[in-house]
Amino acid sequence: MYNEKVLVHFFYPRNVGEIPDADGSAFVGDPACGDSLKVTIKVEKNVIKDVKFLVFGCGAAIATSSMMTELAKGKTIEKALEITDEDITDALGGLPEDKLHCSVLGAVGLKKAILDYLKKREKELEDKRENNK
Ligand code: FES
């Protein structure tokens, strides 16, 4: 049912865990199946230096979340925001038709973690501006 690459990311997922002093984080879920995913990111000079995930979900959710971290690590914020569920599936060499939706979790989780980072950064800059008045 799954190809070898998917199985490798399922049995040996990369970047599992949580970054304690994360710059951005997100918790997303798929209401249809109840699976959920937490993504934390560390950003340095506009580049995703580290990204980790914790998932409660199916094998495809684990494999796609793992691949999402591999695709995102080392990318600029702008490039990481462009990562789609299709990119994740393609990088894994495909998923069975009925498991394609699982890759959405990783793509949405990453986007939301980045948006959380950008929101926090904007707030920091606003606070700095306020303090300099
Ligand atoms: Fe829910 Fe795979 S069945 S993410």
Side-chain angles (χ1 to χ4, degrees):
M1 172 178 178
Y2 291 121
N3 71 38
E4 205 180 315
K5 203 164 187 181
V6 174
L7 290 176
V8 168
H9 277 270
F10 169 57
F11 286 117
Y12 308 101
R14 322 296 204 265
N15 305 303
V16 174
E18 197 171 345
I19 302 169
D21 56 342
D23 296 315
S25 67
F27 188 75
V28 292
D30 184 335
C33 63
D35 289 358
S36 52
L37 168 73
K38 182 168 191 180
V39 180
T40 47
I41 58 169
K42 195 81 195 152
V43 181
E44 269 175 46
K45 293 182 183 162
N46 203 45
V47 169
I48 299 197
K49 281 288 170 192
D50 200 9
V51 48
K52 292 201 182 295
F53 78 96
L54 290 172
V55 71
F56 182 80
C58 69
I62 295 168
T64 52
S65 299
S66 170
M67 182 51 84
M68 172 275 288
T69 64
E70 295 243 294
L71 292 178
K73 220 180 221 185
K75 284 207 170 53
T76 62
I77 289 297
E78 292 77 12
K79 284 285 166 201
L81 275 171
E82 288 174 8
I83 295 171
T84 64
D85 52 308
E86 212 173 14
D87 294 331
I88 297 170
T89 306
D90 288 350
L92 281 170
L95 281 171
E97 192 69 29
D98 63 334
K99 285 290 175 184
L100 283 173
H101 73 276
C102 305
S103 58
V104 174
L105 209 57
V108 171
L110 175 64
K111 271 192 187 61
K112 287 199 168 173
I114 294 172
L115 292 178
D116 180 56
Y117 159 72
L118 291 173
K119 224 184 279 171
K120 283 179 182 158
R121 195 162 151 65
E122 195 181 308
K123 171 101 177 64
E124 272 173 29
L125 292 173
E126 257 172 40
D127 290 349
K128 256 187 204 166
R129 250 179 266 136
E130 279 301 313
N131 289 336
N132 287 338
K133 276 185 183 173

